[in-house]
Amino acid sequence: MKFSRPLVPATLVQRYKRFLFDAVLADGTPVTGSCPNTGSMRGLTTPGSAVWLSEHDSPTRKYRHMLEIVEVDGLLVGINTGLPNRIAEEAIAAGMVSDLHNYQTLRREQRYGRNSRIDILLSDPEKGLAYVEVKNVHFSRAAGLAEFPDSPTERGAKHLDELADVVEAGNRAIMLYLVQRNDCGVLRICRELDPVYARAFERAAARGVEAYAVRCTVSPFGIEPFAAVTVDEPVPAVL
């Protein structure tokens, strides 16, 4: 996925109210902008960090700048949670996610479950239906290890249970973790920060939900799927 124009470098002053940030542009101009990530962004909000911003000219937008990338220890990390679905489609088309590239039709945001929408619904006359739920990942505490989630997510646990129901109905269900950083070769479900989600993941795996992860190369010009990442085997659940 290429950005429509190269991102603008800046220095982070603060991120606050979950959806706003202050930064200083390279020429010293202070700006306030929107943060397209309502999560905790654990480890990615240190004042003084180098960041990259997109610029938007629409008169309907309150803020011209949007936070897209944060630099951590020399590594660029994508934080925009609105991008993973687009990047996931590219990863699927490139054959990075099992055999999903062999499905004939791809549809977005289809209703399913208990008042939910699946991110990607694949269909094929021979293979049937494959429901793909995409989760954004940028949290890492140990070298080479990505973790999800970085804060409790009741909605995420609900999605896992609904995907398991899809499998029991005779379809295929996939959790796809899109890691917006390129320094991780393994993804682990973070039990310490959300034991409820971890248990839901174990239940879903035991009921046939598949889990895959893909890491990305991140630059001011774009965020591109790069390679598959190993997903740690879950502990079998007691159903």
Side-chain angles (χ1 to χ4, degrees):
M1 185 219 72
K2 299 293 186 184
F3 293 113
S4 58
R5 67 177 80 170
L7 301 184
V8 176
T11 301
L12 183 66
V13 174
Q14 64 173 334
R15 182 248 189 165
Y16 55 101
K17 294 184 179 179
R18 295 272 177 149
F19 52 85
L20 291 175
F21 73 92
D22 292 333
V24 178
L25 301 181
D27 64 1
T29 302
V31 297
T32 295
S34 59
C35 178
N37 185 321
T38 58
S40 70
M41 284 180 58
R42 192 180 295 264
L44 299 173
T45 60
T46 304
S49 297
V51 296
W52 279 260
L53 318 176
S54 56
E55 290 185 296
H56 305 271
D57 300 325
S58 171
T60 61
R61 295 183 65 94
K62 184 174 182 179
Y63 300 103
R64 176 182 176 86
H65 295 91
M66 180 181 289
L67 182 61
E68 301 283 356
I69 295 172
V70 177
E71 182 176 327
V72 180
D73 297 326
L75 178 79
L76 301 188
V77 181
I79 62 89
N80 189 337
T81 58
L83 301 181
N85 286 9
R86 292 168 57 188
I87 303 168
E89 290 185 19
E90 295 180 2
I92 290 171
M96 296 181 188
V97 189
S98 185
D99 65 340
L100 299 188
H101 59 289
N102 290 325
Y103 281 76
Q104 189 175 96
T105 303
L106 183 151
R107 287 179 286 168
R108 305 176 181 93
E109 297 289 333
Q110 299 297 301
R111 291 186 180 276
Y112 86 114
R114 301 183 295 278
N115 195 32
S116 295
R117 289 181 180 272
I118 195 67
D119 293 317
I120 299 171
L121 179 61
L122 302 171
S123 59
D124 187 85
E126 295 183 1
K127 296 177 178 294
L129 297 176
Y131 291 72
V132 183
E133 178 72 23
V134 181
K135 294 299 183 188
N136 178 71
V137 182
H138 45 55
F139 181 46
S140 178
R141 295 179 291 182
L145 178 66
E147 296 184 85
F148 182 90
D150 66 351
S151 59
T153 170
E154 181 179 342
R155 183 168 174 263
K158 170 177 174 282
H159 286 158
L160 284 166
D161 288 333
E162 290 179 329
L163 287 176
D165 292 340
V166 162
V167 174
E168 292 189 352
N171 302 298
R172 192 175 174 192
I174 295 96
M175 278 299 314
L176 176 54
Y177 297 94
L178 200 289
V179 184
Q180 288 198 65
R181 54 192 300 157
N182 199 28
D183 63 337
C184 298
V186 177
L187 179 129
R188 182 179 76 94
I189 301 303
C190 192
R191 177 177 295 277
E192 302 95 299
L193 295 179
D194 193 347
V196 173
Y197 183 87
R199 289 194 295 271
F201 181 83
E202 292 163 7
R203 288 196 306 270
R207 295 173 67 190
V209 176
E210 304 165 52
Y212 302 98
V214 172
R215 61 189 168 105
C216 301
T217 56
V218 180
S219 81
F221 303 98
I223 300 177
E224 311 286 345
F226 180 73
V229 170
T230 300
V231 178
D232 260 4
E233 291 292 331
V235 177
V238 177
L239 302 179

